[in-house]
Amino acid sequence: MIWNKPKECMTLEEKRNLQGERLRKLVERVYHSTPFYRQKMQEMNITPADIQTVDDIVKLPFTTKQDLRDNYPYGLFAVPMSQIVRLHASSGTTGSPTVVGYTRRDLSIWAEMTARCLSAYGADQNDIFSVAYGYGLFTGGLGLHYGVEHLGATVIPMSSGNTAKQIKLMHDFGATALGCTPSYALYLAEAMAKTDIPREDFKLRIGILGAEPWTENMRKEIEAKMGIDAYNIYGLSEVMGPGVSHECQYKDGSHIIDDHFLPEIVSPDTLEQLPYGEQGELVFTTLTKEGLPLLRYRTKDLCTLTDEVCKCGRTSVRMGRIVGRSDDMLIIRGVNVFPSQIESVILEMEEFEPHYMLVVDRANNLDTLEVQVEVRDGFYSDEVMKMVDLKKKIAHRLQSVLGISADIKLVEPYTIKRSEGKAQRVIDKRVFN
Ligand code: ADP
Ligand code: ZN
């Protein structure tokens, strides 16, 4: 179902006009309310009058996570604190946290856009959502929570952790939808299979999975193990939180809520805007946000965009899967390696569980990559030769995908630590200075 047809199915011309109008007002607003942006624009010799249509976006300065850190905690807020009703902070996956603030109107837009996502997954008032994203400073829990309430469905504010209780309540309360990271969904699926409650006794049908990169193979694995329809949800605290984009029933890219967030793809090296279809860094301008409006925020997330109208009727720009963050790309012996490439190889092979760990180190001035991976029950063997063959098989596939060799360490099922939130799958022991 489409929650907000007038906004989600506008013609491209209507959309351009709306975005242009909103952009013009946004620039006017930040120029007068945020010294940081005024100074940046003055340095670039531009004034709000230079911004008339969406195409003028390229004239504007970029904003980075570092800018938020340099202005910690409230330096980039565009309204007085008396108008801020909530704070969140990013989870700090890649450094110290950054603080974001929301006005009452920001929160109501956020709830509405999250309701759009849930509706696109086929959920409605009759659904019962177990929200197993962390509640607290992280935007995942509360972000999804208010979307569920706005949709008029029922929310179980589970938060993360306490897996046994999660499973019991999903069962007892008849949860039909589950929101959590893909890595936690896998963990839950395994744990559910170990209980004595048969799968038919659960009503689960929809998974709202995001907050970390995952692959198509990971989706298949989760859908098969948990018996649900798994949908992607994407977002980041700086821009809003979960719900910046979402899949629809066609699962062919994620629809960006582009009446509120203007997307661009730029080259991470030159910062030039790239045409749709090319892979680059995703950049967002928050067209309507009041508390912490951002001009051209560099997400560091790498993906492609398309503006082809989707079969579902929504006209929003869609983003492909995030292949990684430009800052979690590993450079190993000079070759760019994304953890998602390794995940794809592992999940294509029936011999392995979707649980792995990458350890990067340096020996004799040469980078080393060790891939630890769990062998599936039934494929693990005491026969050394069998294990050696299996190692060779995966090593060969990884070599052909990555272009470099990796040391493989096969481990028994359930030995790699499971994650309840964003999975940490890379240990980089190299010291860079
Ligand atoms: P951080 O992790 O930077 O501290 P957030 O908690 O706001 O801050 O996380 C946002 C980041 O999480 C995004 O920039 C992106 O890298 C990742 N992310 C969120 N949702 C998805 C998703 N569906 N697919 C891939 N990556 C995602
Ligand atoms: Zn669609």
Side-chain angles (χ1 to χ4, degrees):
M1 208 196 70
I2 299 181
W3 180 258
N4 186 342
K5 214 162 195 167
K7 287 288 171 343
E8 294 177 74
C9 305
M10 274 183 265
T11 65
L12 294 182
E13 199 193 332
E14 282 167 347
K15 170 95 51 75
R16 259 183 70 83
N17 291 339
L18 180 75
Q19 289 173 330
E21 184 58 27
R22 287 182 167 175
L23 181 64
R24 219 173 44 69
K25 286 191 185 145
L26 166 75
V27 173
E28 186 77 42
R29 197 152 45 82
V30 296
Y31 189 83
H32 292 106
S33 61
T34 319
F36 169 83
Y37 282 121
R38 185 165 52 245
Q39 194 188 335
K40 273 206 169 187
M41 287 173 63
Q42 282 167 347
E43 279 164 17
M44 295 169 86
N45 241 336
I46 50 171
T47 68
D50 293 308
I51 308 302
Q52 294 299 330
T53 73
V54 264
D55 300 329
D56 295 323
I57 186 88
V58 292
K59 299 178 186 163
L60 290 167
F62 287 97
T63 314
T64 62
K65 206 172 189 111
Q66 192 57 42
D67 292 326
L68 288 167
R69 290 198 175 124
D70 293 345
N71 293 278
Y72 180 89
Y74 304 145
L76 295 193
F77 286 17
V79 297
M81 282 308 282
S82 57
Q83 288 180 39
I84 296 288
V85 297
R86 184 165 343 139
L87 297 176
H88 275 288
S90 94
S91 49
T93 314
T94 56
S96 56
T98 43
V99 186
V100 296
Y102 304 78
T103 64
R104 216 176 273 288
R105 183 164 172 270
D106 292 336
L107 291 183
S108 85
I109 289 175
W110 189 9
E112 197 266 343
M113 60 190 241
T114 316
R116 289 191 202 175
C117 307
L118 304 179
S119 189
Y121 307 146
D124 63 24
Q125 290 96 308
N126 300 309
D127 280 292
I128 300 178
F129 287 77
S130 185
V131 175
Y133 286 108
Y135 278 64
L137 285 173
F138 174 52
T139 50
L142 287 166
L144 193 56
H145 180 102
Y146 285 100
V148 176
E149 290 189 353
H150 192 73
L151 180 75
T154 308
V155 62
I156 311 171
M158 256 333 286
S159 198
S160 56
N162 208 343
T163 303
K165 189 167 173 193
Q166 300 257 357
I167 295 172
K168 178 172 163 45
L169 296 195
M170 278 198 288
H171 169 265
D172 296 356
F173 295 177
T176 56
L178 165 70
C180 64
T181 56
S183 49
Y184 192 49
L186 264 183
Y187 179 15
L188 273 171
E190 280 179 358
M192 279 163 69
K194 286 191 196 153
T195 64
D196 47 17
I197 315 174
R199 174 63 185 90
E200 317 81 81
D201 286 5
F202 287 90
K203 299 218 170 74
L204 270 186
R205 59 185 189 93
I206 300 174
I208 300 115
L209 312 185
E212 64 185 10
W214 54 312
T215 55
E216 230 18 76
N217 288 331
M218 182 70 103
R219 169 167 18 227
K220 282 190 210 130
E221 185 84 23
I222 293 169
E223 292 190 330
K225 280 198 164 151
M226 207 178 242
I228 56 171
D229 230 346
Y231 292 95
N232 186 43
I233 186 161
Y234 166 89
L236 62 167
S237 54
E238 294 86 346
V239 171
M240 190 64 108
V244 171
S245 77
H246 63 87
E247 284 177 331
C248 63
Q249 70 267 39
Y250 295 101
K251 297 183 179 171
D252 185 16
S254 292
H255 288 278
I256 294 172
I257 310 283
D258 59 4
D259 49 327
H260 293 295
F261 310 111
L262 182 68
E264 295 173 82
I265 283 286
V266 303
S267 151
D269 305 321
T270 64
L271 297 184
E272 300 256 340
Q273 207 182 57
L274 297 175
Y276 285 176
E278 278 188 38
Q279 182 176 303
E281 180 175 337
L282 185 58
V283 167
F284 284 110
T285 298
T286 63
L287 294 174
T288 52
K289 214 155 64 133
E290 295 177 335
L292 178 63
L294 294 174
L295 300 184
R296 308 190 84 194
Y297 183 71
R298 293 184 56 190
T299 62
K300 303 269 176 175
D301 291 327
L302 302 174
C303 69
T304 56
L305 294 179
T306 173
D307 59 356
E308 254 174 52
V309 175
C310 181
K311 288 199 285 281
C312 70
R314 290 177 184 83
T315 50
S316 42
V317 170
R318 279 170 293 150
M319 53 190 263
R321 278 198 183 272
I322 303 287
V323 299
R325 294 197 195 205
S326 57
D327 51 12
D328 72 20
M329 181 181 80
L330 297 162
I331 303 182
I332 300 173
R333 279 168 258 148
V335 177
N336 298 349
V337 173
F338 284 102
S340 59
Q341 295 175 293
I342 298 173
E343 176 175 310
S344 275
V345 170
I346 292 172
L347 271 82
E348 266 161 25
M349 299 178 65
E350 57 167 358
E351 295 94 337
F352 299 106
E353 287 289 342
H355 298 286
Y356 61 93
M357 198 73 200
L358 312 179
V359 184
V360 188
D361 206 346
R362 181 161 287 173
N364 303 325
N365 289 323
L366 208 61
D367 297 330
T368 58
L369 167 65
E370 179 181 88
V371 178
Q372 304 176 352
V373 56
E374 281 184 13
V375 180
R376 215 179 270 279
D377 266 333
F379 288 97
Y380 205 84
S381 163
D382 291 337
E383 285 178 49
V384 178
M385 277 324 287
K386 274 198 180 150
M387 291 293 97
V388 170
D389 282 347
L390 189 52
K391 255 191 192 184
K392 273 194 196 147
K393 189 169 163 191
I394 183 171
H396 181 75
R397 291 212 189 168
L398 282 172
Q399 163 91 43
S400 69
V401 169
L402 304 178
I404 55 161
S405 62
D407 301 321
I408 311 294
K409 186 171 170 195
L410 303 180
V411 300
E412 286 181 45
Y414 312 115
T415 42
I416 290 177
K417 191 169 175 293
R418 303 298 191 248
S419 125
E420 294 176 346
K422 291 179 189 248
Q424 288 285 4
R425 295 197 176 97
V426 181
I427 302 174
D428 198 336
K429 296 181 172 167
R430 295 174 297 183
V431 183
F432 296 99
N433 40 35

